[in-house]
Amino acid sequence: MNKTIRRASVFCLLLVLALLVRVTWVQAYQGQALADNDNNRRNLIGKYENPLGNIIVGGEAITGSTDTGGKDFRYKRTYVDGPLYAPVTGYSSQAFGSTMLEGVYKNILNGTDNRLKTIMDTLTNKRAAPGNVLTTIDKDVQKAGYDALQGKQGSAVAIDPATGEILAVVNNPSFDPGSISGAGDAEQKAWDALNADKGKAMENTALRKPQAPGSTFKLVTLAAAIENGLVTNIDTPTGIPGDYTIPGTRTNLPSEAGNEACNNVSPRTALKLSCNNVFAEFAHKLGQDKMRAMAEKLGFNVVQKIPVWASPASKYPKDKMSVDQVAQTGIGQFDVQATPLQMAMVTAAIENGGKLVSPHEVSEVTDSNGNVLESFKDAKSQQVMSEKTASMIRDAMKTVATEGGGKNALVDGAEVGAKTGTAQRGVKNSLAPLAWFTSYGKMNGKQIVVAVVIERSDTDRSEIGGGKLAAPVAQKMMQAWLKK
């Protein structure tokens, strides 16, 4: 064999060896990663070749699967009362992916989670039977909130403060996730229609749209004032003048009740009348650091995982603020932003003796035989304020409900405490204000907190207020739980 042929043979042998090494690497080390890749069409088809597991509310499945008879995507996701539960379930679509609980637990629901596999599944490399997701949602509270929001654009969240269980997550407008669950022309048209409205129907306002909380944030300000010794008695006059100038400015800060009505009032009266002067001055005296510390204890500036990510986080400003800006945060304005989930958490801590239990909307995740894979029944808790502080604020909130703007939330036979809020928005208040309301109710050993925001309604602008628009929604939801 001459020299040239020998070199060519060695080179070809090296190429074969390199090919064998590459094939071995792909098969042995990268095979599973490629199989699990979201862009692998075979994997996507496999997820829909069998019925999916279900999301459960009150022991009943609110999801299902239907046999389409198709070759590739045989089973399509179906929903019971889809628009009612869409903020909880999200959607599982053959064409557009998955969101919310459908997204978080997609591997449980389609049987690819390794925890579902039996020994036989492992030996045969067969897809396991899918598992189920059991939620904490109460169907009556969810339905009450959904019905009460009809005719309004807004959202609401209800929590059991003792357990952290989320009893309702409601948005209006909503959408039917079943309309986009397939991969055909009808689903594409439905998707295009939903996105033509800038996706508003699919926007989870309750969990993922922080906005100015207005006067409901005064609960946080009052908590900070009590915890830091600025307030020791909620019935002692504050000495703060009703004719109040925002610190560092020449701007007068009016209160809806009038400057005279808010002159030298007690914290209880200030909360009942929602006196801006009192809470702006509290924030000014406390300063940014103490205000932010109280807000962060209650969940601000922290992305909540419930187990869906409630992102972006509700916000109390971290950047250095001027004195006038700090004062404005005391009334829930400037750069303060919150979701209904966040304001429900604030009220939950107050109602639960100062202890904030981590909110969650899933109680258990199980396999097909009901064996528990994950449990959230013993949620973490933290004492975010003293029991005395919480008791003082509850006492003041009761006055808001019985004598102030929270009367529309009263439930016969129940103790109810509340705080109203109206948040300005837009350049020079060009947009209709947000109507906020947060409340707690308890009766016969049961308790619930509800936070509601109304973004738009047919009500005349002069009539927009948390007590008028949002309180009736909270009342219906509290009643549905307390009167069971």
Side-chain angles (χ1 to χ4, degrees):
M1 184 183 293
N2 64 37
K3 196 173 187 180
T4 302
I5 295 175
R6 187 168 55 251
R7 287 178 176 175
S9 299
V10 171
F11 179 69
C12 288
L13 179 61
L14 290 174
L15 288 178
V16 171
L17 288 174
L19 182 60
L20 289 173
V21 170
R22 177 59 181 167
V23 169
T24 302
W25 174 261
V26 170
Q27 292 281 359
Y29 295 97
Q30 291 186 312
Q32 191 59 48
L34 291 171
D36 293 339
N37 192 290
D38 289 338
N39 295 318
N40 186 335
R41 181 172 171 78
R42 182 184 297 176
N43 189 43
L44 180 61
I45 291 172
K47 291 178 181 180
Y48 294 100
E49 66 183 2
N50 295 302
L52 297 172
N54 286 311
I55 297 172
I56 311 294
V57 169
E60 299 177 357
I62 59 170
T63 57
S65 297
T66 185
D67 190 343
T68 65
K71 182 179 178 181
D72 288 344
F73 299 103
R74 180 169 178 178
Y75 286 90
K76 184 172 72 170
R77 183 55 121 183
T78 60
Y79 295 88
V80 178
D81 292 326
L84 172 63
Y85 292 110
V88 178
T89 63
Y91 58 80
S92 179
S93 170
Q94 296 169 352
F96 309 112
S98 54
T99 61
M100 307 310 290
L101 291 184
E102 291 275 31
V104 172
Y105 290 111
K106 62 183 179 182
N107 292 339
I108 289 286
L109 296 169
N110 64 40
T112 59
D113 192 294
N114 288 329
R115 292 173 294 175
L116 298 171
K117 285 193 173 185
T118 64
I119 295 176
M120 188 58 66
D121 293 332
T122 303
L123 291 175
T124 61
N125 199 29
K126 179 183 176 184
R127 188 183 298 268
N132 298 310
V133 178
L134 283 63
T135 73
T136 61
I137 300 298
D138 182 89
K139 62 181 181 180
D140 295 326
V141 180
Q142 183 81 9
K143 184 68 162 57
Y146 183 77
D147 289 346
L149 278 174
Q150 296 309 301
K152 306 178 182 71
Q153 180 184 330
S155 56
V157 171
I159 298 177
D160 183 334
T163 64
E165 293 183 345
I166 296 176
L167 304 175
V169 180
V170 187
N171 286 328
N172 192 56
S174 187
F175 71 104
D176 182 4
S179 68
I180 57 172
S181 61
D185 292 340
E187 284 80 6
Q188 184 63 57
K189 288 180 181 178
W191 178 262
D192 291 342
L194 287 169
N195 284 280
D197 191 29
K198 298 182 180 179
K200 285 182 181 178
M202 293 190 290
E203 181 180 49
N204 201 324
T205 309
L207 305 180
R208 293 179 168 177
K209 188 179 180 182
Q211 302 181 85
S215 292
T216 57
F217 188 79
K218 290 171 181 175
L219 296 174
V220 180
T221 306
L222 183 55
I226 297 173
E227 287 285 283
N228 287 282
L230 190 60
V231 171
T232 56
N233 188 315
I234 61 170
D235 291 309
T236 299
T238 59
I240 300 171
D243 188 12
Y244 180 80
T245 301
I246 300 174
T249 74
R250 296 180 180 180
T251 304
N252 182 266
L253 181 63
S255 296
E256 188 174 342
N259 292 351
E260 185 176 344
C262 289
N263 184 57
N264 190 29
V265 295
S266 67
R268 182 195 299 275
T269 300
L271 199 71
K272 180 182 76 172
L273 300 179
S274 207
C275 295
N276 289 331
N277 57 316
V278 172
F279 293 96
E281 182 62 11
F282 282 171
H284 170 59
K285 287 182 177 178
L286 289 165
Q288 180 177 350
D289 291 343
K290 290 180 179 178
M291 284 290 295
R292 186 178 68 247
M294 187 72 252
E296 289 181 348
K297 283 183 179 181
L298 289 162
F300 284 80
N301 297 335
V302 178
V303 176
Q304 304 298 324
K305 186 181 180 183
I306 64 169
V308 169
W309 289 105
S311 176
S314 296
K315 174 187 174 184
Y316 186 89
K318 291 184 177 182
D319 295 338
K320 182 65 176 178
M321 292 185 286
S322 60
V323 291
D324 60 304
Q325 292 168 341
V326 174
Q328 290 177 65
T329 68
I331 60 173
Q333 295 286 172
F334 186 54
D335 272 352
V336 178
Q337 294 183 325
T339 60
L341 171 65
Q342 177 59 69
M343 294 317 302
M345 290 170 62
V346 170
T347 310
I350 293 168
E351 163 56 14
N352 198 39
K355 183 183 292 185
L356 179 60
V357 184
S358 297
H360 54 282
E361 61 180 357
V362 171
S363 59
E364 291 178 341
V365 178
T366 70
D367 64 16
S368 60
N369 294 316
N371 299 310
V372 177
L373 303 177
E374 294 179 31
S375 176
F376 299 88
K377 290 188 175 181
D378 295 318
K380 294 180 180 179
S381 64
Q382 182 182 2
Q383 195 74 33
V384 296
M385 67 182 77
S386 71
E387 193 169 339
K388 181 180 179 182
T389 297
S391 177
M392 292 169 69
I393 300 174
R394 283 198 308 273
D395 199 20
M397 290 178 72
K398 283 191 287 185
T399 304
V400 176
T402 56
E403 302 176 19
K407 292 179 181 178
N408 285 334
L410 292 174
V411 176
D412 289 343
E415 177 186 317
V416 175
K419 184 67 193 85
T420 61
T422 305
Q424 298 174 350
R425 56 178 181 161
V427 179
K428 295 183 178 180
N429 304 327
S430 57
L431 300 175
L434 300 171
W436 279 89
F437 193 81
T438 187
S439 60
Y440 74 83
K442 56 184 175 182
M443 183 173 67
N444 298 329
K446 301 184 74 172
Q447 50 192 336
I448 184 174
V449 301
V450 180
V452 182
V453 63
I454 305 298
E455 298 182 67
R456 188 174 293 112
S457 73
D458 295 333
T459 306
D460 186 83
R461 180 172 181 135
S462 63
E463 294 296 311
I464 294 176
K468 294 179 180 179
L469 291 180
V473 178
Q475 193 269 348
K476 293 291 191 301
M477 296 174 75
M478 290 193 296
Q479 183 170 265
W481 180 249
L482 299 174
K483 295 283 189 177
K484 268 184 175 293

